[in-house]
Amino acid sequence: MIARRVTRFFDERFGSNAAVRFAVTKIFPDHWSFYLGEFALYSFALLVATGVWLTFVYDPSPAAAYDSVVALSRATPVGYLMRQVHHWSAVVFVAAILLHMARIFVTGAFRKPRELNWVVGFLLLILASVTGFTGYSLPYDVLSGTGLRIADSVLLAVPFVGGFLENVFNGGAFPGPLLLSHLYTFHVYFLPVSIAALLAAHLGMMVFQKHTQFANEPGSVVGRRMWPDYALRATAAFAITVGVILALASTLEINPIDEYGPYNGWTVPNPATPDWYAAFLDGALRLGPAIELRLFGHPIPALFWPGVVMPTIVLAVLICWPWIDARFTRDARAHDVLESASDRPWRVGFGSALVCAGILLTLAAGDDQQALAMHVPVEALLRLYQLLVPFGSLAVGWVAFVFARQVAARRRVGELAAERVVGLRRNEVGGFDAEAPETAA
Amino acid sequence: MGDDLPRTIAPSSRVRAALVVSVIAALAAAFAAATHESAALVGWLAAATAFAVTFAAGARARELRASDVLREPRTRPGPTAAEALPDDVTRRGVFDRFWGLAAGALTLLAVVPFVALARAPRSNGTFWKAGTRLVTPDGTPLRVDDLAVGGIETVFPEGHLTSYESTAVLLRLPPTVAVEGEHGDWVRDGNIAYSKICTHAGCPVALYRQESLELYCPCHQSVFDVVHGARPVSGPATRALPQLALDVDDSGYLIARGDFDTPVGPDSWGRTT
């Protein structure tokens, strides 16, 4: 057997069998929702694999960037597929992270002792989105060039340091000569290496602290063995991630830059909407109030509030969520057993409101197209979204809260009814004695 | 601990068949790529490889009956398990706050190279000067009557076709529309010119609502009233588009009478005018 030879080779030199034994006998809790994070991990692997290939053909100079990407897409089916798979992997990566995070959120998996892993996971979401943005900006087509100009304006809107940030971003004023090489460095070195490092920390913490579980047995890890069971399941999860992304990339063309044309600074695509995971910010910029404050004679542009302050507040609340949650539940104990979503109706309510606001802001990034399709003035739709984002989200959050509370109450009634099955026995003096309650079969 | 290895059985013919399918699909994908078949065919054959492996792994997991639920003890460092640390670690006897200051200073030094990335100071300079002709993106100078009434054209200062901050938009108002106020004199035969860079987020203000005489930015739907100095009337923009005062030179070409009246592009902290 090859496996025996290989393991013996390494064991005789490193004593590695102990580590292998630890790895293969590890017990892993199992649930379909635990695969969401894995899908993210495998799409990242695919991103690295295709991304390394793309660096061989991409030219990060403003004059040649667009042509190098178009040439790559047109030359061979492999080149076209590589770009399509890379972009689709990014979409799946961010989507899987968001779903994974939603699962962690509603089941309370972020509670002590796993707060830091929530923080690391959240940083991974931010890095993934920024990597996605820098990545789809690299072709320097008219859509992404416009996106870069907007990002540049948001940087510029930061008080005190805006001009400096813009300068570093561009290597001068927009569109600076170093803009693409800065983006390129970020996209292919700094961000992916940061993601890989944080991923290692994320997975290392998970192995060290052991995975949470739904089984209500706090004293033990209830699950399936790593080898062969989980290894096979993980293989299946990896292969299906690759298969789905390949199928998407071969069927639905994403980011057809040769239809958009190159960026020249004075033409603009219509519609001008970014990739879906950045669209909520664009929606916020559309809905933001047209108010420019002045502080000591310096303008604070309208962009600052929806473009910088809003996302910063949301990110700060989410990143601190484990501690906010502990404050609300007055529960500072460590937990390994997951909660069901309805155990914490207000958590479900808050999460639903946030998701709703995110979806509405994302939809608002297409308000002009919707206005066109529905034959209503875009100004009217804008007003509608300005009302819907705060009030609609609150309403949805409240409905989710009430619904979760109902579910919890109904379950509690069921549990009480089950507890109340008590046997009675006549005693010697004519009264009744309760027998021990029957345990549920 | 589930140390006992589950009974290993030989892979079933289903698993074997799926793996053979994956090999065939992979070879076919490689062949299709080499012969420059369509990307869709190459992609779907590659996807078929992955799906066959998915099926094989799933079927193998099932037939090994390896899915028995097992348990291992969960130990967690709790308050009782936390070992007391040596005194000199927790009392900060070795490194005091001066070491912290030194570490902060070193970190600051590490930031310096990134600050140095900011090179050229931000310029608001455009190439519009008194007497500069307005030319189309292909360099053709424009006469007063070149643009049809109701038309819109992107214009640059002659000789500076790639100057981003100079990008302007020339419109031809109908003769029935009069531009009043101090800028009434900046119009020539209905020709009126504004910066094309939106004062909100810098997108090109490329769309023209002819019937209501409004410029419309497709990025965030800021609307500017062309007749009244391109002041923002709807959307998130707070500042009018900079205007270019126009004149006609001796040869009948449209020229600028100077630079834009206000700074180009979105506002920032550093812009105090």
Side-chain angles (χ1 to χ4, degrees), chain A residues 153 217 221 223 225 266 298 336, chain B residues 2 70-72 76 196 201:
Chain A
S153 305
E217 294 178 44
V221 181
R225 264 182 45 157
W266 54 271
H298 296 275
D336 298 307
Chain B
L70 300 167
R71 283 171 175 75
E72 67 177 23
R76 197 180 41 231
K196 200 182 178 180

Side-chain angles (χ1 to χ4, degrees), chain B residues 135-153:
Chain B
V135 299
T136 59
D138 59 12
T140 318
L142 287 164
R143 288 174 189 277
V144 141
D145 281 330
D146 280 350
L147 192 61
V149 169
I152 173 171
E153 178 70 86

Side-chain angles (χ1 to χ4, degrees), chain B residues 159-253:
Chain B
H160 300 282
L161 288 182
T162 53
S163 165
Y164 172 72
E165 302 221 353
S166 309
T167 318
V169 58
L170 180 72
L171 306 160
R172 187 91 188 269
L173 302 174
T176 49
V177 175
V179 177
E180 285 156 14
E182 49 176 329
H183 295 177
D185 186 35
W186 291 8
V187 184
R188 284 292 175 272
D189 260 1
N191 287 286
I192 188 166
Y194 292 106
S195 163
K196 200 182 178 180
I197 300 172
C198 186
T199 54
H200 173 238
C203 288
V205 189
L207 304 181
Y208 184 33
R209 289 173 164 177
Q210 230 178 42
E211 72 287 357
S212 55
L213 300 173
E214 287 165 336
L215 278 168
Y216 173 88
C217 180
C219 284
H220 306 108
Q221 289 74 49
S222 289
V223 180
F224 301 91
D225 179 350
V226 171
V227 180
H228 296 100
R231 63 183 169 89
V233 288
S234 169
T238 55
R239 197 160 65 83
L241 295 174
Q243 191 172 354
L244 205 57
L246 297 183
D247 208 340
V248 181
D249 67 10
D250 299 338
S251 321
Y253 289 106

Side-chain angles (χ1 to χ4, degrees), chain A residues 164-243:
Chain A
F164 168 73
L165 291 178
E166 196 222 11
N167 220 321
V168 172
F169 183 56
N170 285 293
F174 185 90
L178 293 176
L179 177 57
L180 283 189
S181 64
H182 284 176
L183 284 178
Y184 186 65
T185 306
F186 263 95
H187 184 75
V188 307
Y189 303 115
F190 181 75
L191 292 169
V193 169
S194 306
I195 289 179
L198 284 180
L199 256 178
H202 200 58
L203 298 176
M205 274 194 262
M206 182 200 63
V207 169
F208 188 80
Q209 298 183 317
K210 296 185 175 172
H211 204 284
T212 51
Q213 65 196 27
F214 281 108
N216 193 9
E217 294 178 44
S220 44
V221 181
V222 183
R224 299 183 162 105
R225 264 182 45 157
M226 187 70 192
W227 192 272
D229 195 88
Y230 207 80
L232 282 166
R233 285 158 193 272
T235 305
F238 172 72
I240 203 165
T241 311
V242 174

Side-chain angles (χ1 to χ4, degrees), chain B residues 22-43:
Chain B
S22 80
V23 171
I24 293 171
L27 291 175
F31 182 74
T35 53
H36 289 236
E37 292 291 337
S38 76
L41 181 66
V42 177

